[in-house]
Amino acid sequence: MILIHSGIHFNAMLPWAATAFMLIVTASGHVGQYLLKQVREEVKIKMKQLGLEVTEDILERQHYWDILTLKTLEQWRTLHIPMVSVLMALTLIHILSITFFLNWR
Amino acid sequence: MKVLLFVFIASAIILAALAATFPEVLLNPGPLMKSHQKLEKKCLSCHEPFAGVTSTQCIRCHKQADIGVRKVSDIVLSKDTAKALFHRGVIAASCIDCHVDHRGIDAAKALKSFKHEALSQVRQKECITCHQNKTPRNALHQYTKGQCSECHTTSRWKPAAFDHNRYFPLDGNHTANCAACHNEPGNYKKYTCYNCHEHSYSLMVRKHEKEGIVNFQNCMKCHRNGNREGQGREGSGDKDDD
């Protein structure tokens, strides 16, 4: 959709950088999603081993704290969050430049 | 959250600065035409902020009366009457109706599909000025004196709105020029069949009276196919005369 919206131009760097970053951030988001799933599974197994009853509510709370403390997710966040910021900046400048140069009448 | 905000603001400032310094790399949607190459970094030469490209910007360099006559750099061009005449005929400040840029160095690619509305009212009626190679030579057009637009549209030549065969076939027996039948100049709704030797008025009166037909002024009513024998002959009592 993004490529169709741009008319697939191959010249201006800014929109292409924004598109590339969007793909990178999307890929990074999927990595984060995978890590979360792994954490969830790990918590489930650990709680079973400890003989605790696993309900969705307990799992969610436990899960939340584990996410914040888990080293792998922290590392992922340190990379993912700045990339999201750069993508937002690229998108903003892209929209501003289009608004500035295009004829809207 | 702080990191997100900081990186966002820092990136936005850096990107904005880069875009302002190197617009030809970061923002340029396509190469400018050869004669505009020197404007690659000067976006505002053509673009008005938040208004896009306006013809007013074009006219600052390209004076309408000079197009096809002299270059922007004041060099007098070799005679290109058609180009000069054409541009004098278009509505003032309508450059962007036809011209664009950022489509490569070849200026011929930087044209939109032509709209006749960009021409002045007078020029719109002078089709042959531009369509010289399309001057029709067939029997129907050979003697026409009217405007092309009476039958043709500006979107395409064919189909034309007019098909003479719908009214009367111009077959082997009727290859006369337009004026032979349409003797009121420019008014093709009116016709007469009495302008030729075979259909003289006195002969027609004689022939029709012999058949008992009194109302024969509207020839097409019975002789639409151009044959001698009429279809649905009128009787003497028929009052329809249109």
Side-chain angles (χ1 to χ4, degrees):
Chain A
M1 283 295 281
I2 294 281
L3 292 178
I4 292 167
H5 127 92
S6 69
I8 319 183
H9 287 300
F10 288 93
N11 286 286
M13 281 280 286
L14 189 75
W16 273 109
T19 310
F21 247 83
M22 185 197 68
L23 295 173
I24 292 166
V25 169
T26 308
S28 168
H30 284 299
V31 171
Q33 200 179 25
Y34 172 76
L35 290 173
L36 272 171
K37 203 177 165 189
Q38 288 294 101
V39 168
R40 201 182 170 88
E41 289 301 312
E42 207 176 317
V43 169
K44 245 186 195 175
I45 293 162
K46 276 183 184 168
M47 287 184 93
K48 266 187 186 171
Q49 281 171 349
L50 292 168
L52 293 169
E53 197 187 342
V54 184
T55 64
E56 277 302 310
D57 189 39
I58 293 168
L59 205 59
E60 281 297 323
R61 265 184 284 159
Q62 189 66 39
H63 185 196
Y64 174 74
W65 290 110
D66 280 348
I67 288 165
L68 292 181
T69 49
L70 261 171
K71 201 181 173 187
T72 45
L73 275 177
E74 266 192 8
Q75 281 172 344
W76 172 76
R77 278 166 60 89
T78 49
L79 264 176
H80 185 74
I81 297 299
M83 283 199 300
V84 171
S85 304
V86 175
L87 175 62
M88 282 165 66
L90 279 164
T91 311
L92 176 78
I93 300 297
H94 172 56
I95 293 168
L96 281 178
S97 65
I98 295 293
T99 315
F100 188 79
F101 288 114
L102 215 67
N103 187 356
W104 295 99
R105 283 173 291 179
Chain B
M1 192 65 189
K2 271 184 183 175
V3 178
L4 190 128
L5 198 67
F6 173 75
V7 178
F8 170 69
I9 293 169
S11 317
I13 292 169
I14 293 166
L15 283 167
L18 284 171
T21 318
F22 307 105
E24 76 280 13
V25 180
L26 267 86
L27 305 175
N28 187 358
L32 291 168
M33 68 173 81
K34 200 177 173 185
S35 55
H36 285 167
Q37 290 276 307
K38 59 181 183 293
L39 301 173
E40 231 177 12
K41 274 180 177 275
K42 299 173 185 169
C43 309
L44 297 179
S45 299
C46 302
H47 292 269
E48 219 174 278
F50 305 106
V53 177
T54 60
S55 297
T56 322
Q57 308 282 84
C58 311
I59 291 163
R60 282 184 188 172
C61 300
H62 304 277
K63 302 280 177 283
Q64 192 170 359
D66 287 350
I67 297 170
V69 178
R70 67 179 74 232
K71 280 185 168 185
V72 173
S73 53
D74 237 19
I75 298 167
V76 177
L77 294 163
S78 55
K79 205 174 182 182
D80 188 352
T81 321
K83 191 178 177 182
L85 276 176
F86 174 80
H87 282 91
R88 274 176 214 166
V90 298
I91 297 166
S94 63
C95 318
I96 58 166
D97 287 350
C98 301
H99 295 276
V100 288
D101 210 329
H102 293 292
R103 286 193 184 172
I105 55 168
D106 184 6
K109 285 182 184 170
L111 286 171
K112 291 182 196 172
S113 57
F114 173 71
K115 288 192 182 86
H116 287 81
E117 290 76 20
L119 296 172
S120 64
Q121 290 291 322
V122 179
R123 193 67 87 221
Q124 275 185 42
K125 289 175 183 166
E126 296 169 353
C127 312
I128 297 301
T129 310
C130 298
H131 298 281
Q132 281 164 352
N133 57 344
K134 286 179 182 159
T135 312
R137 304 279 178 213
N138 58 19
L140 176 62
H141 287 93
Q142 207 170 357
Y143 301 99
T144 50
K145 295 281 183 289
Q147 298 290 331
C148 307
S149 58
E150 283 175 14
C151 301
H152 298 279
T153 64
T154 52
S155 56
R156 58 180 71 88
W157 285 107
K158 285 181 182 176
F162 183 73
D163 176 13
H164 201 283
N165 288 346
R166 277 180 59 204
Y167 303 93
F168 190 76
L170 296 172
D171 56 13
N173 295 324
H174 298 97
T175 50
N177 65 51
C178 309
C181 306
H182 302 283
N183 55 357
E184 193 176 307
N187 186 357
Y188 295 99
K189 283 180 181 171
K190 285 196 171 178
Y191 70 92
T192 178
C193 296
Y194 303 136
N195 265 4
C196 63
H197 178 73
E198 286 84 357
H199 305 132
S200 69
Y201 185 73
S202 55
L203 181 64
M204 289 302 108
V205 170
R206 271 205 312 278
K207 280 194 169 183
H208 284 86
E209 279 183 348
K210 197 176 162 187
E211 298 280 333
I213 302 165
V214 178
N215 192 355
F216 57 88
Q217 298 306 315
N218 186 357
C219 312
M220 287 307 106
K221 186 127 189 165
C222 301
H223 301 276
R224 184 170 284 268
N225 57 8
N227 289 341
R228 185 186 298 271
E229 297 302 318
Q231 299 161 313
R233 289 186 171 188
E234 297 280 306
S236 55
D238 197 333
K239 286 178 183 175
D240 190 358
D241 197 27
D242 56 12

